[in-house]
Amino acid sequence: MLELTSRTIDQVAWNVGSEDAGSFSKVFQKVIEPKPQDYRKRFAVTPSTHCAAPPRRGPEAVMAER
């Protein structure tokens, strides 16, 4: 969720069931290692890194491949 949304760490913590961002961060660091903020900076999906859908092809292109 951290890499796919611009929600705050508090909001992400609440969404995954933690009532407190501090506790969430401690558990996150034990399991994943970097702080949630550092993880987000490293792995955030941006429009330039997000895989775009392939362009749609018309029926002529599909038929030409057969």
Side-chain angles (χ1 to χ4, degrees):
M1 185 179 292
L2 286 170
E3 65 270 356
L4 299 174
T5 183
S6 60
R7 292 179 182 156
T8 66
I9 303 301
D10 289 333
Q11 291 170 329
V12 172
W14 186 83
N15 284 180
V16 299
S18 178
E19 294 184 17
D20 151 326
S23 297
F24 170 76
S25 292
K26 285 180 186 178
V27 171
F28 190 92
Q29 280 184 268
K30 279 186 175 183
V31 175
I32 307 294
E33 288 190 20
K35 294 178 184 178
Q37 300 86 332
D38 297 337
Y39 179 89
R40 173 178 273 163
K41 287 176 187 173
R42 185 170 177 196
F43 296 107
V45 176
T46 61
S48 62
T49 61
H50 184 60
C51 296
R56 294 187 143 233
R57 300 177 318 170
E60 303 82 24
V62 173
M63 292 303 288
E65 288 179 2
R66 290 185 180 176

